[in-house]
Amino acid sequence: MNAPQNPGPGPTAPPELFTWEFATDPYPAYAWLREHAPVHRTRLPSGVEAWLVTRYADARQALADQRLSKNPAHHDEPAHAKGKTGIPGERKAELMTHLLNIDPPDHTRLRRLVSKAFTPRRVAEFAPRVQELTDRLIDNFATKGSADLIHEFAFPLPIYAICDMLGVPPEDQDDFRDWAGQMIRHGGGPRGGVARAVKKMRAYLVELIHRKRGDLGDDLISGLIRASDHGEHLTENEAAAMAFILLFAGFETTVNLIGNGTYALLRNPGQRTRLQRSLAAGETDLLATGVEELLRYDGPVELATWRFATEPLTIGGQAIGVGDPVLVVLAAADRDPERFGRPDVLDLARRDSQHLGYGHGIHYCLGAPLARLEGQTALATLLTRLPDLRLAVDPEELRWRGGLIMRGLRTLPVAFTPEKTDATSRL
């Protein structure tokens, strides 16, 4: 167990957290916290105080500790009612009953029901569609010689993919793209835009569920409607909340996986070249280990979602009080030198990469197989079709989105030799 957090005066002052400079490169600050204050109480930009857990062993313990509840009702102050924890607008939109906000036994029941619809076989069967979407999106800019890979590729790919999987009709998918953009404040937006987008999405999902009840297909929402466990069915609110969180969690993590992963490869040309040679030889092992390494090195989820202590407990030698919020810093844990050799070095062939990028324990990300499929397909196709892909701006000009949970770029301008084919396909 780690030493108690009372390190006394350190060699430097505690780092300033949650600034724009911090968002650009949080890893030096996380290294300081791991060494000097591994379980650190801080005031978040929202005004809520929470414990940050930064060491790998402590993080893994906390993620699996059922004394840390996902239900915001266990918070010791009414911050959750004011939209300061969780997804803005989800409470007013009656979308709280999803897997990120509940504990056993409800979590066990809902996850078992959803797992029946969200199976590995369904994901495997979806691979050709992911490849088709990937190629069609690249077709849209491949002849231009330049693109913003976030807006033109990393953002729309998982939106259209998860919409297809959920069973959202093609004619409605652009609405989802607009709502999703507002939900992650993509490029900025009006005050309250996130909550309004959540409300619109909820209304649409409820109406879609009603429509599908009379005409079930083989899509995921139809599967949610069909799913039952010992005679129990998902309620309307549960089905809408589950469809919502599968969409929300299913696209934003993949946007950042593709964006952060591509950026990391562009900043590490030796590793990028190594992967391209492996792909050209028809190999898949380095692609698979490489995506896991990119998830560890600069993953899409910086902090795990909110947890609240239901009884006094100790993490890393630090006492945590009842009702205290705990945020596990996945980005810090996955750079812990006590767990990973040379953690600040990108090594696509790293084999022992039991990262926490998709969590751990009963809340391990249900959509991880789909995200991996999308990430592998997107990166492999980009590097194969646009082999001289390069940054079109100085890295210092790039901006990272502000926010607490996710880590991702606002834009990723790139340049490349244009394809000579006349690719006119449009989504």
Side-chain angles (χ1 to χ4, degrees), residues 40-42 44 48-53 68-69 74-77 79 85 306-309 320-328:
H40 175 66
R41 190 172 178 89
T42 188
L44 305 173
V48 176
E49 291 193 359
W51 294 99
L52 302 181
V53 180
L68 292 174
S69 170
H74 290 292
H75 195 183
D76 66 351
E77 60 176 85
T85 66
W306 294 83
R307 285 166 166 79
F308 307 93
I320 307 294
V322 175
D324 282 0
V326 174
L327 291 167
V328 177

Side-chain angles (χ1 to χ4, degrees), residues 323-391:
D324 282 0
V326 174
L327 291 167
V328 177
V329 188
L330 305 177
D334 282 340
R335 294 276 191 112
D336 188 343
E338 293 295 317
R339 177 59 185 82
F340 301 102
R342 303 172 70 210
D344 296 320
V345 173
L346 180 70
D347 178 6
L348 299 184
R350 191 186 296 268
R351 291 286 178 178
D352 185 22
S353 185
Q354 295 181 7
H355 61 79
L356 300 176
Y358 285 127
H360 171 65
I362 65 171
H363 290 283
Y364 183 82
C365 178
L366 189 68
L370 177 60
R372 287 186 169 100
L373 168 65
E374 292 172 340
Q376 290 181 18
T377 304
L379 292 172
T381 309
L382 272 178
L383 295 178
T384 300
R385 289 188 57 177
L386 309 175
D388 64 345
L389 191 72
R390 58 195 179 274
L391 279 175

Side-chain angles (χ1 to χ4, degrees), residues 31 33 40 93 122 126 151 180 196 205 213 237 280 351 375 397:
L33 290 176
H40 175 66
R122 184 186 293 270
F126 200 58
H151 288 271
R196 284 193 293 273
L205 288 170
R213 284 193 187 278
N237 275 353
R351 291 286 178 178
E397 295 181 41

Side-chain angles (χ1 to χ4, degrees), residues 109-401:
R109 176 180 65 87
L110 288 182
R111 187 171 179 112
R112 189 161 55 233
L113 287 169
V114 176
S115 295
K116 291 181 178 181
F118 203 88
T119 61
R121 178 181 176 183
R122 184 186 293 270
V123 172
E125 291 174 346
F126 200 58
R129 177 57 175 159
V130 172
Q131 184 66 64
E132 179 187 356
L133 286 169
T134 299
D135 280 319
R136 290 175 67 183
L137 285 167
I138 295 176
D139 287 347
N140 288 342
F141 58 77
T143 60
K144 296 191 302 181
S146 64
D148 175 0
L149 282 187
I150 301 298
H151 288 271
E152 297 179 64
F153 184 62
F155 181 70
L157 173 59
I159 282 290
Y160 291 129
I162 195 64
C163 279
D164 275 1
M165 183 169 272
L166 284 170
V168 176
E171 61 270 21
D172 295 339
Q173 293 185 6
D174 283 338
D175 287 337
F176 267 80
R177 181 174 176 170
D178 291 342
W179 297 332
Q182 295 175 50
M183 286 164 61
I184 64 172
R185 299 183 177 91
H186 197 67
R191 183 179 178 85
V194 180
R196 284 193 293 273
V198 169
K199 185 176 180 180
K200 289 177 182 177
M201 190 175 289
R202 197 267 184 193
Y204 176 85
L205 288 170
V206 169
E207 192 272 334
L208 182 62
I209 288 168
H210 278 301
R211 268 192 282 155
K212 286 186 176 292
R213 284 193 187 278
D215 185 21
L216 294 178
D218 60 358
D219 55 83
L220 189 53
I221 287 181
S222 293
L224 290 175
I225 294 169
R226 272 195 208 94
S228 64
D229 184 21
H230 303 294
E232 293 181 307
H233 293 265
L234 289 164
T235 67
E236 180 179 282
N237 275 353
E238 288 171 342
M242 287 308 309
F244 165 74
I245 203 61
L246 288 171
L247 180 99
F248 183 77
F251 86 85
E252 191 172 7
T253 54
T254 308
V255 173
N256 296 343
L257 168 57
I258 297 170
N260 297 4
T262 303
Y263 179 60
L265 290 172
L266 295 179
R267 297 299 305 278
N268 292 269
Q271 292 293 304
R272 193 268 290 272
T273 299
R274 185 179 182 185
L275 179 55
Q276 286 177 308
R277 288 174 177 168
S278 174
L279 293 169
E283 300 167 354
T284 59
D285 284 356
L286 191 63
L287 176 62
T289 61
V291 167
E292 298 309 304
E293 172 69 347
L294 292 168
L295 285 162
R296 181 203 67 82
Y297 179 77
D298 197 11
V301 185
E302 189 166 347
L303 283 75
T305 50
W306 294 83
R307 285 166 166 79
F308 307 93
T310 59
E311 60 183 83
L313 69 149
T314 300
I315 302 176
Q318 175 63 53
I320 307 294
V322 175
D324 282 0
V326 174
L327 291 167
V328 177
V329 188
L330 305 177
D334 282 340
R335 294 276 191 112
D336 188 343
E338 293 295 317
R339 177 59 185 82
F340 301 102
R342 303 172 70 210
D344 296 320
V345 173
L346 180 70
D347 178 6
L348 299 184
R350 191 186 296 268
R351 291 286 178 178
D352 185 22
S353 185
Q354 295 181 7
H355 61 79
L356 300 176
Y358 285 127
H360 171 65
I362 65 171
H363 290 283
Y364 183 82
C365 178
L366 189 68
L370 177 60
R372 287 186 169 100
L373 168 65
E374 292 172 340
Q376 290 181 18
T377 304
L379 292 172
T381 309
L382 272 178
L383 295 178
T384 300
R385 289 188 57 177
L386 309 175
D388 64 345
L389 191 72
R390 58 195 179 274
L391 279 175
V393 297
D394 189 288
E396 294 183 359
E397 295 181 41
L398 296 175
R399 293 293 177 265
W400 296 78
R401 286 201 305 270

